[in-house]
Short mmCIF file of all heavy atoms in Angstrom, two decimals:
data_model
loop_
_atom_site.label_atom_id
_atom_site.label_comp_id
_atom_site.label_asym_id
_atom_site.label_seq_id
_atom_site.Cartn_x
_atom_site.Cartn_y
_atom_site.Cartn_z
N THR M 4 -0.30 7.30 -0.52
CA THR M 4 -1.50 8.05 -0.94
C THR M 4 -2.76 7.44 -0.39
O THR M 4 -3.63 8.14 0.08
CB THR M 4 -1.69 8.03 -2.46
OG1 THR M 4 -0.59 7.40 -3.05
CG2 THR M 4 -1.97 9.39 -2.99
N TYR M 10 -10.98 10.47 1.64
CA TYR M 10 -12.28 9.91 1.29
C TYR M 10 -12.05 8.59 0.56
O TYR M 10 -10.93 8.24 0.22
CB TYR M 10 -13.09 10.87 0.41
CG TYR M 10 -12.32 11.36 -0.77
CD1 TYR M 10 -12.24 10.61 -1.93
CD2 TYR M 10 -11.64 12.58 -0.72
CE1 TYR M 10 -11.52 11.04 -3.01
CE2 TYR M 10 -10.91 13.03 -1.80
CZ TYR M 10 -10.86 12.25 -2.94
OH TYR M 10 -10.14 12.68 -4.01
N GLU M 11 -13.12 7.92 0.31
CA GLU M 11 -13.02 6.56 -0.21
C GLU M 11 -12.87 6.54 -1.74
O GLU M 11 -13.55 7.27 -2.45
CB GLU M 11 -14.31 5.82 0.16
CG GLU M 11 -14.08 4.35 0.37
CD GLU M 11 -15.34 3.71 0.93
OE1 GLU M 11 -15.89 4.24 1.92
OE2 GLU M 11 -15.75 2.71 0.35
N ILE M 12 -11.98 5.70 -2.23
CA ILE M 12 -11.84 5.49 -3.66
C ILE M 12 -12.42 4.13 -3.98
O ILE M 12 -12.06 3.15 -3.34
CB ILE M 12 -10.35 5.56 -4.08
CG1 ILE M 12 -9.85 6.99 -3.90
CG2 ILE M 12 -10.16 5.09 -5.51
CD1 ILE M 12 -8.41 7.19 -4.23
N PRO M 13 -13.37 4.06 -4.92
CA PRO M 13 -13.96 2.76 -5.24
C PRO M 13 -12.88 1.75 -5.61
O PRO M 13 -11.90 2.10 -6.27
CB PRO M 13 -14.86 3.07 -6.44
CG PRO M 13 -15.11 4.53 -6.38
CD PRO M 13 -13.94 5.15 -5.72
N HIS M 17 -9.80 2.58 -11.81
CA HIS M 17 -8.47 2.47 -12.38
C HIS M 17 -8.26 3.61 -13.37
O HIS M 17 -9.22 4.18 -13.89
CB HIS M 17 -8.26 1.12 -13.07
CG HIS M 17 -9.09 0.97 -14.31
ND1 HIS M 17 -10.41 0.67 -14.27
CD2 HIS M 17 -8.79 1.14 -15.62
CE1 HIS M 17 -10.90 0.62 -15.50
NE2 HIS M 17 -9.94 0.92 -16.34
N ASN M 18 -6.99 3.92 -13.61
CA ASN M 18 -6.67 4.98 -14.54
C ASN M 18 -7.12 4.56 -15.95
O ASN M 18 -6.76 3.49 -16.42
CB ASN M 18 -5.15 5.19 -14.51
CG ASN M 18 -4.76 6.48 -15.19
OD1 ASN M 18 -5.41 6.94 -16.11
ND2 ASN M 18 -3.69 7.08 -14.71
N LEU M 24 -1.77 0.82 -22.13
CA LEU M 24 -0.32 0.94 -21.96
C LEU M 24 0.26 -0.34 -21.40
O LEU M 24 -0.42 -1.11 -20.74
CB LEU M 24 0.00 2.09 -21.00
CG LEU M 24 -0.38 3.49 -21.44
CD1 LEU M 24 -0.02 4.48 -20.34
CD2 LEU M 24 0.32 3.88 -22.72
N MET M 26 1.94 -1.31 -18.68
CA MET M 26 2.24 -0.68 -17.39
C MET M 26 3.50 -1.24 -16.74
O MET M 26 4.08 -0.62 -15.88
CB MET M 26 1.04 -0.83 -16.43
CG MET M 26 -0.18 -0.02 -16.85
SD MET M 26 0.14 1.68 -17.34
CE MET M 26 0.49 2.44 -15.77
N HIS M 31 8.10 5.80 -17.41
CA HIS M 31 8.69 5.92 -18.74
C HIS M 31 9.95 6.80 -18.72
O HIS M 31 10.29 7.38 -17.70
CB HIS M 31 7.64 6.47 -19.71
CG HIS M 31 7.01 7.75 -19.26
ND1 HIS M 31 7.74 8.88 -18.99
CD2 HIS M 31 5.72 8.07 -19.02
CE1 HIS M 31 6.93 9.84 -18.63
NE2 HIS M 31 5.69 9.38 -18.62
N TRP M 33 10.51 9.63 -20.33
CA TRP M 33 10.34 11.05 -20.64
C TRP M 33 10.63 11.92 -19.42
O TRP M 33 10.33 11.57 -18.29
CB TRP M 33 8.94 11.31 -21.19
CG TRP M 33 8.68 10.54 -22.46
CD1 TRP M 33 9.55 10.42 -23.51
CD2 TRP M 33 7.53 9.77 -22.82
NE1 TRP M 33 9.00 9.64 -24.49
CE2 TRP M 33 7.77 9.23 -24.10
CE3 TRP M 33 6.32 9.52 -22.20
CZ2 TRP M 33 6.83 8.43 -24.75
CZ3 TRP M 33 5.40 8.72 -22.85
CH2 TRP M 33 5.65 8.19 -24.11
N PRO M 35 10.69 15.01 -16.61
CA PRO M 35 9.63 15.72 -15.89
C PRO M 35 9.26 16.99 -16.68
O PRO M 35 10.14 17.73 -17.08
CB PRO M 35 10.29 16.11 -14.57
CG PRO M 35 11.50 15.27 -14.46
CD PRO M 35 11.91 14.88 -15.82
N GLY M 36 7.97 17.19 -16.92
CA GLY M 36 7.53 18.38 -17.65
C GLY M 36 7.43 18.18 -19.15
O GLY M 36 6.98 19.07 -19.86
N CYS M 37 7.85 17.02 -19.64
CA CYS M 37 7.71 16.72 -21.08
C CYS M 37 6.24 16.47 -21.38
O CYS M 37 5.51 15.89 -20.57
CB CYS M 37 8.53 15.49 -21.43
SG CYS M 37 8.22 14.87 -23.08
N GLY M 40 3.69 12.41 -22.74
CA GLY M 40 2.73 11.60 -21.98
C GLY M 40 1.33 12.17 -22.06
O GLY M 40 0.34 11.43 -22.12
N THR M 41 1.23 13.51 -22.07
CA THR M 41 -0.07 14.16 -22.17
C THR M 41 -0.73 13.83 -23.51
O THR M 41 -1.93 13.57 -23.58
CB THR M 41 0.10 15.68 -22.02
OG1 THR M 41 0.81 15.92 -20.80
CG2 THR M 41 -1.21 16.40 -21.98
N ASN M 44 -2.16 10.42 -23.32
CA ASN M 44 -3.45 10.45 -22.62
C ASN M 44 -4.57 10.79 -23.59
O ASN M 44 -5.62 10.14 -23.60
CB ASN M 44 -3.44 11.53 -21.53
CG ASN M 44 -2.75 11.08 -20.29
OD1 ASN M 44 -2.80 9.90 -19.95
ND2 ASN M 44 -2.12 12.00 -19.60
N ARG M 48 -7.80 8.50 -24.79
CA ARG M 48 -9.19 8.95 -24.65
C ARG M 48 -9.89 8.90 -26.00
O ARG M 48 -11.07 8.56 -26.11
CB ARG M 48 -9.27 10.37 -24.10
CG ARG M 48 -8.67 10.62 -22.74
CD ARG M 48 -9.19 9.70 -21.68
NE ARG M 48 -8.86 10.16 -20.33
CZ ARG M 48 -7.68 10.00 -19.75
NH1 ARG M 48 -6.69 9.41 -20.36
NH2 ARG M 48 -7.48 10.43 -18.52
N THR M 189 -0.05 20.83 -26.10
CA THR M 189 -0.36 19.91 -25.00
C THR M 189 -1.28 20.59 -23.97
O THR M 189 -1.82 19.92 -23.11
CB THR M 189 0.91 19.43 -24.30
OG1 THR M 189 1.77 20.55 -24.10
CG2 THR M 189 1.62 18.39 -25.12
N TYR M 190 -1.45 21.90 -24.06
CA TYR M 190 -2.39 22.57 -23.16
C TYR M 190 -3.83 22.23 -23.56
O TYR M 190 -4.70 22.11 -22.71
CB TYR M 190 -2.16 24.08 -23.19
CG TYR M 190 -3.27 24.85 -22.53
CD1 TYR M 190 -3.45 24.77 -21.15
CD2 TYR M 190 -4.17 25.60 -23.28
CE1 TYR M 190 -4.49 25.44 -20.54
CE2 TYR M 190 -5.22 26.26 -22.67
CZ TYR M 190 -5.37 26.18 -21.30
OH TYR M 190 -6.40 26.82 -20.69
N VAL M 192 -5.87 19.77 -24.17
CA VAL M 192 -6.07 18.31 -24.12
C VAL M 192 -7.42 17.87 -24.67
O VAL M 192 -7.51 16.89 -25.41
CB VAL M 192 -5.86 17.76 -22.70
CG1 VAL M 192 -4.41 17.61 -22.39
CG2 VAL M 192 -6.55 18.58 -21.66
N GLY M 230 8.55 22.84 -17.84
CA GLY M 230 7.40 22.41 -18.61
C GLY M 230 6.13 23.19 -18.27
O GLY M 230 5.36 23.56 -19.16
N LEU M 231 5.96 23.48 -16.99
CA LEU M 231 4.75 24.18 -16.57
C LEU M 231 4.73 25.61 -17.12
O LEU M 231 3.68 26.10 -17.56
CB LEU M 231 4.68 24.18 -15.04
CG LEU M 231 3.41 24.74 -14.42
CD1 LEU M 231 2.19 24.03 -14.95
CD2 LEU M 231 3.46 24.66 -12.92
N MET M 234 3.61 25.40 -20.61
CA MET M 234 2.17 25.16 -20.69
C MET M 234 1.41 26.48 -20.48
O MET M 234 0.43 26.76 -21.16
CB MET M 234 1.73 24.15 -19.65
CG MET M 234 2.25 22.76 -19.89
SD MET M 234 1.45 21.94 -21.25
CE MET M 234 0.15 21.08 -20.42
N LYS M 235 1.90 27.30 -19.53
CA LYS M 235 1.25 28.59 -19.29
C LYS M 235 1.43 29.50 -20.50
O LYS M 235 0.53 30.26 -20.86
CB LYS M 235 1.84 29.25 -18.05
CG LYS M 235 1.43 28.59 -16.75
CD LYS M 235 2.10 29.31 -15.59
CE LYS M 235 1.96 28.56 -14.31
NZ LYS M 235 2.96 28.99 -13.32
N PHE P 5 -13.62 11.96 -7.28
CA PHE P 5 -12.42 11.73 -6.48
C PHE P 5 -11.21 11.71 -7.39
O PHE P 5 -11.34 11.52 -8.60
CB PHE P 5 -12.53 10.39 -5.73
CG PHE P 5 -12.66 9.21 -6.65
CD1 PHE P 5 -11.53 8.54 -7.11
CD2 PHE P 5 -13.91 8.79 -7.10
CE1 PHE P 5 -11.65 7.47 -7.98
CE2 PHE P 5 -14.03 7.71 -7.97
CZ PHE P 5 -12.89 7.05 -8.40
N VAL P 6 -10.03 11.93 -6.82
CA VAL P 6 -8.80 11.74 -7.57
C VAL P 6 -7.96 10.68 -6.88
O VAL P 6 -7.96 10.57 -5.65
CB VAL P 6 -7.95 13.02 -7.71
CG1 VAL P 6 -8.44 13.89 -8.82
CG2 VAL P 6 -7.85 13.78 -6.42
N SER P 7 -7.24 9.92 -7.69
CA SER P 7 -6.37 8.89 -7.14
C SER P 7 -4.97 9.17 -7.65
O SER P 7 -4.76 9.39 -8.85
CB SER P 7 -6.87 7.53 -7.61
OG SER P 7 -5.87 6.57 -7.41
N ILE P 8 -3.99 9.20 -6.76
CA ILE P 8 -2.62 9.57 -7.12
C ILE P 8 -1.69 8.39 -6.87
O ILE P 8 -1.70 7.81 -5.79
CB ILE P 8 -2.14 10.78 -6.31
CG1 ILE P 8 -3.13 11.94 -6.44
CG2 ILE P 8 -0.75 11.22 -6.75
CD1 ILE P 8 -2.94 13.02 -5.39
N VAL P 10 1.78 8.02 -6.19
CA VAL P 10 2.87 8.92 -5.82
C VAL P 10 4.21 8.51 -6.46
O VAL P 10 4.96 9.34 -6.96
CB VAL P 10 2.99 8.97 -4.29
CG1 VAL P 10 4.23 9.72 -3.86
CG2 VAL P 10 1.77 9.61 -3.70
N ARG P 12 4.92 7.18 -9.21
CA ARG P 12 5.09 7.38 -10.64
C ARG P 12 5.23 8.86 -10.99
O ARG P 12 5.52 9.22 -12.12
CB ARG P 12 3.88 6.79 -11.36
CG ARG P 12 4.25 5.95 -12.57
CD ARG P 12 3.01 5.43 -13.25
NE ARG P 12 2.48 4.24 -12.64
CZ ARG P 12 1.19 3.89 -12.70
NH1 ARG P 12 0.32 4.66 -13.30
NH2 ARG P 12 0.78 2.79 -12.12
N LYS P 14 6.46 12.72 -11.40
CA LYS P 14 7.73 13.43 -11.58
C LYS P 14 7.60 14.91 -11.22
O LYS P 14 8.45 15.72 -11.58
CB LYS P 14 8.23 13.25 -13.00
CG LYS P 14 8.70 11.83 -13.31
CD LYS P 14 9.19 11.68 -14.72
CE LYS P 14 9.45 10.21 -15.04
NZ LYS P 14 9.47 9.99 -16.49
N CYS P 16 5.78 17.54 -12.17
CA CYS P 16 5.75 18.63 -13.16
C CYS P 16 4.75 19.73 -12.78
O CYS P 16 4.88 20.87 -13.20
CB CYS P 16 5.42 18.10 -14.55
SG CYS P 16 3.76 17.42 -14.70
N PHE P 18 1.52 19.97 -13.57
CA PHE P 18 0.44 20.26 -14.53
C PHE P 18 -0.93 20.11 -13.88
O PHE P 18 -1.82 20.93 -14.07
CB PHE P 18 0.50 19.31 -15.75
CG PHE P 18 1.66 19.52 -16.68
CD1 PHE P 18 2.62 20.50 -16.44
CD2 PHE P 18 1.80 18.73 -17.82
CE1 PHE P 18 3.69 20.69 -17.31
CE2 PHE P 18 2.87 18.91 -18.69
CZ PHE P 18 3.82 19.88 -18.43
N GLU P 21 -1.77 23.01 -11.50
CA GLU P 21 -2.01 24.28 -12.19
C GLU P 21 -3.36 24.29 -12.90
O GLU P 21 -4.07 25.28 -12.89
CB GLU P 21 -0.88 24.51 -13.20
CG GLU P 21 -1.05 25.73 -14.09
CD GLU P 21 -0.85 27.04 -13.35
OE1 GLU P 21 -0.17 27.02 -12.30
OE2 GLU P 21 -1.37 28.06 -13.82
N PHE P 22 -3.70 23.17 -13.53
CA PHE P 22 -4.86 23.19 -14.42
C PHE P 22 -6.12 22.57 -13.82
O PHE P 22 -7.13 22.44 -14.50
CB PHE P 22 -4.52 22.54 -15.76
CG PHE P 22 -3.44 23.28 -16.50
CD1 PHE P 22 -2.22 22.68 -16.78
CD2 PHE P 22 -3.62 24.60 -16.87
CE1 PHE P 22 -1.21 23.38 -17.43
CE2 PHE P 22 -2.62 25.31 -17.53
CZ PHE P 22 -1.42 24.70 -17.81
N TYR P 39 10.96 13.45 -6.12
CA TYR P 39 10.03 14.45 -6.66
C TYR P 39 8.93 14.77 -5.65
O TYR P 39 8.56 13.93 -4.84
CB TYR P 39 9.39 13.94 -7.95
CG TYR P 39 10.35 13.70 -9.09
CD1 TYR P 39 10.60 12.41 -9.55
CD2 TYR P 39 10.99 14.76 -9.71
CE1 TYR P 39 11.47 12.18 -10.60
CE2 TYR P 39 11.86 14.54 -10.76
CZ TYR P 39 12.10 13.26 -11.20
OH TYR P 39 12.96 13.04 -12.24
N ILE P 44 -3.92 16.11 -1.93
CA ILE P 44 -5.26 16.68 -2.04
C ILE P 44 -5.47 17.67 -0.92
O ILE P 44 -5.26 17.35 0.25
CB ILE P 44 -6.30 15.54 -1.98
CG1 ILE P 44 -6.09 14.62 -3.18
CG2 ILE P 44 -7.72 16.08 -1.96
CD1 ILE P 44 -6.57 13.23 -2.99
N ALA P 47 -10.66 18.12 -0.95
CA ALA P 47 -11.30 16.97 -1.59
C ALA P 47 -12.75 17.24 -1.94
O ALA P 47 -13.26 16.73 -2.94
CB ALA P 47 -11.21 15.76 -0.66
N ASP P 54 -11.54 14.61 -14.38
CA ASP P 54 -10.42 13.87 -14.95
C ASP P 54 -9.51 14.74 -15.82
O ASP P 54 -8.76 14.23 -16.65
CB ASP P 54 -10.90 12.65 -15.74
CG ASP P 54 -9.75 11.69 -16.07
OD1 ASP P 54 -8.80 11.64 -15.29
OD2 ASP P 54 -9.81 11.03 -17.11
N LEU P 55 -9.57 16.06 -15.65
CA LEU P 55 -8.63 16.90 -16.40
C LEU P 55 -7.20 16.65 -15.91
O LEU P 55 -6.26 16.65 -16.70
CB LEU P 55 -9.01 18.37 -16.25
CG LEU P 55 -8.60 19.28 -17.40
CD1 LEU P 55 -9.22 18.81 -18.70
CD2 LEU P 55 -9.00 20.71 -17.14
N GLY P 57 -6.04 13.84 -14.97
CA GLY P 57 -5.62 12.60 -15.63
C GLY P 57 -5.22 12.84 -17.08
O GLY P 57 -4.31 12.20 -17.59
N MET P 58 -5.92 13.77 -17.73
CA MET P 58 -5.58 14.04 -19.12
C MET P 58 -4.27 14.81 -19.24
O MET P 58 -3.55 14.67 -20.21
CB MET P 58 -6.70 14.82 -19.81
CG MET P 58 -7.92 13.97 -19.96
SD MET P 58 -9.00 14.43 -21.28
CE MET P 58 -8.11 14.28 -22.75
N TYR P 59 -3.98 15.65 -18.26
CA TYR P 59 -2.73 16.42 -18.32
C TYR P 59 -1.52 15.62 -17.86
O TYR P 59 -0.42 15.88 -18.31
CB TYR P 59 -2.85 17.69 -17.47
CG TYR P 59 -3.47 18.85 -18.21
CD1 TYR P 59 -4.73 19.34 -17.89
CD2 TYR P 59 -2.80 19.45 -19.27
CE1 TYR P 59 -5.30 20.39 -18.58
CE2 TYR P 59 -3.36 20.50 -19.97
CZ TYR P 59 -4.60 20.96 -19.62
OH TYR P 59 -5.17 21.99 -20.32
N CYS P 60 -1.70 14.69 -16.97
CA CYS P 60 -0.55 14.03 -16.32
C CYS P 60 0.31 13.27 -17.34
O CYS P 60 -0.12 12.26 -17.89
CB CYS P 60 -1.01 13.07 -15.24
SG CYS P 60 0.41 12.28 -14.45
N PRO P 61 1.55 13.73 -17.58
CA PRO P 61 2.38 13.04 -18.57
C PRO P 61 2.93 11.72 -18.04
O PRO P 61 3.55 10.98 -18.79
CB PRO P 61 3.52 14.03 -18.83
CG PRO P 61 3.26 15.23 -18.01
CD PRO P 61 2.21 14.90 -17.01
N ASP P 62 2.77 11.46 -16.76
CA ASP P 62 3.35 10.25 -16.17
C ASP P 62 2.30 9.23 -15.77
O ASP P 62 2.63 8.25 -15.10
CB ASP P 62 4.21 10.65 -14.96
CG ASP P 62 5.36 11.51 -15.39
OD1 ASP P 62 6.32 10.96 -15.91
OD2 ASP P 62 5.28 12.74 -15.23
N PHE P 63 1.06 9.45 -16.15
CA PHE P 63 -0.05 8.53 -15.89
C PHE P 63 -0.17 8.23 -14.40
O PHE P 63 -0.48 7.12 -14.00
CB PHE P 63 0.13 7.22 -16.69
CG PHE P 63 0.64 7.44 -18.09
CD1 PHE P 63 1.85 6.94 -18.52
CD2 PHE P 63 -0.11 8.19 -18.99
CE1 PHE P 63 2.32 7.19 -19.80
CE2 PHE P 63 0.34 8.43 -20.27
CZ PHE P 63 1.56 7.92 -20.68
N ILE P 65 -1.99 10.10 -12.08
CA ILE P 65 -3.17 10.62 -11.39
C ILE P 65 -4.37 10.45 -12.31
O ILE P 65 -4.23 10.43 -13.54
CB ILE P 65 -2.97 12.12 -11.02
CG1 ILE P 65 -4.10 12.65 -10.13
CG2 ILE P 65 -2.82 12.99 -12.25
CD1 ILE P 65 -3.81 14.04 -9.56
N PHE P 66 -5.51 10.25 -11.74
CA PHE P 66 -6.74 10.28 -12.53
C PHE P 66 -7.89 10.65 -11.63
O PHE P 66 -7.82 10.50 -10.41
CB PHE P 66 -7.02 8.95 -13.25
CG PHE P 66 -7.41 7.82 -12.33
CD1 PHE P 66 -8.75 7.52 -12.12
CD2 PHE P 66 -6.46 7.07 -11.70
CE1 PHE P 66 -9.11 6.49 -11.26
CE2 PHE P 66 -6.81 6.03 -10.85
CZ PHE P 66 -8.14 5.74 -10.63
N TYR P 70 -18.19 9.74 -8.83
CA TYR P 70 -18.82 8.65 -8.09
C TYR P 70 -20.06 8.17 -8.83
O TYR P 70 -20.80 8.99 -9.39
CB TYR P 70 -19.24 9.12 -6.70
CG TYR P 70 -18.10 9.26 -5.73
CD1 TYR P 70 -17.80 10.49 -5.17
CD2 TYR P 70 -17.34 8.15 -5.36
CE1 TYR P 70 -16.76 10.63 -4.27
CE2 TYR P 70 -16.29 8.28 -4.47
CZ TYR P 70 -16.01 9.51 -3.92
OH TYR P 70 -14.98 9.63 -3.04
#
Side-chain angles (χ1 to χ4, degrees):
Chain M
T4 355
Y10 52 83
E11 211 172 311
I12 292 179
H17 68 281
N18 194 329
L24 296 178
M26 292 314 287
H31 54 58
W33 299 316
C37 170
T41 306
N44 280 328
R48 300 306 194 281
T189 44
Y190 168 69
V192 281
L231 186 56
M234 292 288 267
K235 288 179 192 160
Chain P
F5 61 90
V6 278
S7 164
I8 306 164
V10 172
R12 225 182 278 153
K14 290 180 188 160
C16 66
F18 290 1
E21 175 72 22
F22 297 118
Y39 296 112
I44 297 155
D54 193 30
L55 207 59
M58 291 205 62
Y59 275 111
C60 180
D62 296 283
F63 320 117
I65 188 170
F66 70 95
Y70 284 118

